Amino acid sequence: MPPQASHNPHAPCPCGSTKTLQECCLDFIQRKRNAPTAEALMRSRYSAHSLVAVDYLWDTWSAEQRLRSNKNDIRAWAESCDWLGLQILATQQGGEQDDTGIVEFVAIYRQQGQLRQHHEISRFTKSLGKWFYVDHADE
Ligand SMILES: [Zn+2]
């Protein structure tokens, strides 16, 4: 079992923002407030993988995505990887005044000893003031 990122709120945020976890993604993951932008949601979902915050990952998935998976699969995936870093490459819309957004990112992780990277163009939608992850734009 690889060492998981610390839940220490004063540790650097896993999303690589250079802020501490507490100043960055933790409030979103603990549902104290909603991520204001698609990028903030994307970053907090990455951090939630690192922290294996399965309920948060589930709750920020669109209803369509939930039909295709379950919490056990999310947990197994998050735990099987050692999350090494996130890079946001581009964003389109996804601002506080928008209802849809696109975030292109690369996540670096290690799985079964192999260094891997996941490049994705993700689509997000906002409903009742909350951002949700919809799917890959390139699917
Ligand atoms: Zn963060």
Side-chain angles (χ1 to χ4, degrees):
M1 176 66 87
Q4 295 296 332
S6 167
H7 283 63
N8 176 357
H10 305 294
C13 192
C15 81
S17 64
T18 74
K19 295 186 231 174
T20 66
L21 182 58
Q22 187 171 47
E23 290 168 335
C24 189
C25 293
L26 192 62
D27 277 4
F28 308 142
I29 293 169
Q30 293 183 337
R31 262 76 57 93
K32 289 181 182 166
R33 56 199 179 97
N34 293 329
T37 64
E39 179 178 340
L41 184 81
M42 169 63 229
R43 285 180 171 281
S44 66
R45 283 181 48 84
Y46 174 85
S47 294
H49 278 91
S50 178
L51 301 172
V52 195
V54 175
D55 287 343
Y56 182 71
L57 293 169
W58 183 256
D59 288 349
T60 54
W61 249 356
S62 67
E64 295 83 4
Q65 286 281 5
R66 281 182 223 165
L67 289 176
R68 291 186 220 152
S69 188
N70 61 63
K71 288 187 184 182
N72 286 340
D73 286 353
I74 297 174
R75 175 178 299 280
W77 163 247
E79 286 183 344
S80 73
C81 303
D82 197 4
W83 299 93
L84 302 176
L86 173 70
Q87 212 184 340
I88 304 290
L89 302 179
T91 59
Q92 286 174 44
Q93 300 184 299
E96 296 189 33
Q97 309 305 323
D98 296 318
D99 291 323
T100 59
I102 292 173
V103 180
E104 182 177 6
F105 68 92
V106 173
I108 312 288
Y109 61 97
R110 191 180 295 112
Q111 191 179 34
Q112 295 173 334
Q114 296 265 41
L115 198 61
R116 297 171 188 270
Q117 68 171 32
H118 177 75
H119 175 216
E120 184 177 315
I121 299 169
S122 298
R123 297 194 301 151
F124 296 86
T125 184
K126 193 167 70 181
S127 174
L128 300 174
K130 271 183 70 177
W131 283 101
F132 293 88
Y133 170 55
V134 181
D135 60 11
H136 309 198
D138 48 358
E139 264 182 352

